[in-house]
Amino acid sequence: MGLFSFLKDKFSRKSETPVSKEEEKTAKYNEGLRKSRQAFASRLEDLSRRYKNVNSEYFEELEEILIEADVGVELSLNLIEGLLEEAKSEKLTDPSTINDMLVDRMFVGYLEKGQSIINDIQFAPKGPTVLLVTGVNGVGKTTSIAKLAYRYIQEGKKVALVAADTFRAGAKEQLSIWAERLHCPIVTGKDNADPASVAYDGAIYAKNNGIDLLIVDTAGRMQTKSNLMQELGKIRRVLTREIEGAPHESFLVIDATTGQNGVQQAKAFKEAVPLSGIVITKMDGTSKGGIILSIRDTLGIPVRFIGLGEKMEDLETFDLERYLNGLLVGEAKGE
């Protein structure tokens, strides 16, 4: 059984109990990926209907579908090349079989490329765990920080925020509003203060107040990469000096609707700071859900969290099977 058929079977089964948490999560993925599925899966189905047997034109159209879904040019070419070779060697001509093979290759390729796949934040065995969060203006960085804080507060963790994005107008105020809503302590500095000094104050506060998770909001300015690298480097050094192993996690927030621009942003930030994960926002607002595969293939960094809606609970840990099911198989309300 190919993965395509496996996903259909796995996520179509209903539990005997009222809607379980697992079913709720699957439904959330399906709904959040509805626009992408309508653009991607429907085109795959149409392609399969129009070709009784695959040929060179079939693979050319399939390549176009992948690229337009933001899977990325290089990964799309590699996927098609592999499919062509396997189809030729196995003498396969059925379009549905080729589509099953495509999903299998997407799945295996994601698993094998780059860093190990981890979802939840990995907490330090003792002392505060420090999460550094970066991302350019407008990607949903502040909201993502609030959603992450909410998630771990709900799990009983003691969370504090640090407003170290001191040069962006309104950044401190926005984060402070979220902190108030979440009843979560926040460490701030003066406007245009040295971000590293604010990070230092945050580290001291975390140690003195038994904080489990310290989330540090950092600059998203990329006008000059050298300045960004220096600033983030200084913040990291300050945190490491005050808290052993800090920062334990470094997340980059990317807006799914920006497509390949998001991949370029990730490349630039990866050069400035060692990233342990990606947070994808606004996935429910894009029809080009392949960006997750493109990021993984290009950078080898796992997507750790995925934004599937506006609610605080809509930032989910990334699940590869549910993602592929939502992109290719699952049905959402109204479809």
Side-chain angles (χ1 to χ4, degrees):
M1 179 189 290
L3 183 62
F4 199 26
S5 301
F6 169 77
L7 293 173
K8 282 183 178 179
D9 178 63
K10 177 176 180 178
F11 291 111
S12 64
R13 292 196 300 265
K14 303 293 183 183
S15 69
E16 296 178 359
T17 59
V19 184
S20 67
K21 288 185 177 179
E22 291 301 302
E23 286 178 330
E24 284 183 358
K25 189 171 183 177
T26 298
K28 191 177 292 185
Y29 264 81
N30 290 345
E31 181 63 26
L33 287 158
R34 179 170 54 86
K35 288 184 179 180
S36 290
R37 180 170 57 256
Q38 289 174 341
F40 189 36
S42 61
R43 292 185 67 186
L44 277 181
E45 291 172 4
D46 176 67
L47 186 64
S48 297
R49 282 195 298 267
R50 288 190 289 108
Y51 286 87
K52 185 176 181 180
N53 296 302
V54 298
N55 54 28
S56 60
E57 286 80 13
Y58 179 92
F59 285 105
E60 286 176 7
E61 288 194 47
L62 182 56
E63 180 183 307
E64 182 180 322
I65 291 172
L66 291 172
I67 291 173
E68 291 183 1
D70 256 339
V71 172
V73 174
E74 185 174 350
L75 177 56
S76 297
L77 292 175
N78 289 338
L79 285 168
I80 295 301
E81 184 179 334
L83 288 173
L84 276 166
E85 290 179 1
E86 188 172 354
K88 185 177 181 180
S89 64
E90 299 294 329
K91 295 182 173 56
L92 302 173
T93 60
D94 182 11
S96 62
T97 302
I98 301 301
N99 289 349
D100 257 347
M101 289 162 50
L102 171 64
V103 181
D104 288 345
R105 286 176 176 273
M106 286 177 169
F107 184 82
V108 173
Y110 190 97
L111 290 178
E112 293 180 344
K113 187 84 179 202
Q115 300 173 14
S116 298
I117 297 174
I118 302 169
N119 288 325
D120 265 324
I121 289 171
Q122 304 302 291
F123 283 85
K126 63 178 182 177
T129 294
V130 180
L131 166 63
L132 207 63
V133 182
T134 60
V136 301
N137 298 340
V139 296
K141 178 161 61 86
T142 306
T143 306
S144 294
I145 288 172
K147 289 180 177 180
L148 286 166
Y150 173 82
R151 177 186 184 88
Y152 291 102
I153 289 171
Q154 295 299 111
E155 292 183 6
K157 300 295 185 182
K158 198 171 179 181
V159 180
L161 308 180
V162 179
D165 188 355
T166 59
F167 293 100
R168 180 169 69 88
K172 178 177 66 175
E173 289 74 16
Q174 289 173 5
L175 198 62
S176 296
I177 290 170
W178 278 114
E180 184 177 350
R181 290 175 182 171
L182 294 166
H183 305 291
C184 172
I186 183 171
V187 176
T188 63
K190 295 180 179 179
D191 291 339
N192 298 321
D194 179 6
S197 70
V198 183
Y200 169 81
D201 291 341
I204 297 301
Y205 178 89
K207 289 193 296 182
N208 292 341
N209 291 274
I211 297 299
D212 298 310
L213 178 62
L214 185 70
I215 306 179
V216 183
D217 182 19
T218 65
R221 298 172 297 114
M222 291 184 64
Q223 289 88 342
T224 55
K225 194 188 300 180
S226 60
N227 286 350
L228 175 68
M229 293 177 71
Q230 291 172 10
E231 187 174 305
L232 291 174
K234 188 176 180 181
I235 291 172
R236 289 179 63 84
R237 289 192 298 273
V238 166
L239 291 170
T240 301
R241 187 171 65 239
E242 296 304 322
I243 298 175
E244 183 179 354
H248 304 87
E249 299 268 20
S250 296
F251 287 175
L252 172 66
V253 181
I254 293 177
D255 180 346
T257 65
T258 62
Q260 291 301 305
N261 284 337
V263 180
Q264 297 307 313
Q265 290 169 19
K267 284 182 179 179
F269 275 100
K270 188 182 180 184
E271 293 176 15
V273 59
L275 297 173
S276 61
I278 301 289
V279 177
I280 293 282
T281 65
K282 309 176 189 178
M283 183 56 72
D284 56 313
T286 183
S287 61
K288 298 186 176 184
I291 186 176
I292 287 177
L293 299 172
S294 181
I295 289 170
R296 177 69 169 174
D297 182 71
T298 304
L299 301 169
I301 302 171
V303 171
R304 302 281 291 275
F305 292 88
I306 179 172
L308 297 167
E310 298 296 325
K311 298 177 183 176
M312 296 300 285
E313 300 85 358
D314 289 341
L315 186 70
E316 287 282 353
T317 50
F318 180 67
D319 184 302
L320 181 58
E321 284 189 358
R322 281 190 172 88
Y323 162 69
L324 289 174
N325 176 72
L327 186 65
L328 296 163
V329 181
E331 293 183 357
K333 295 175 183 177
E335 283 190 86

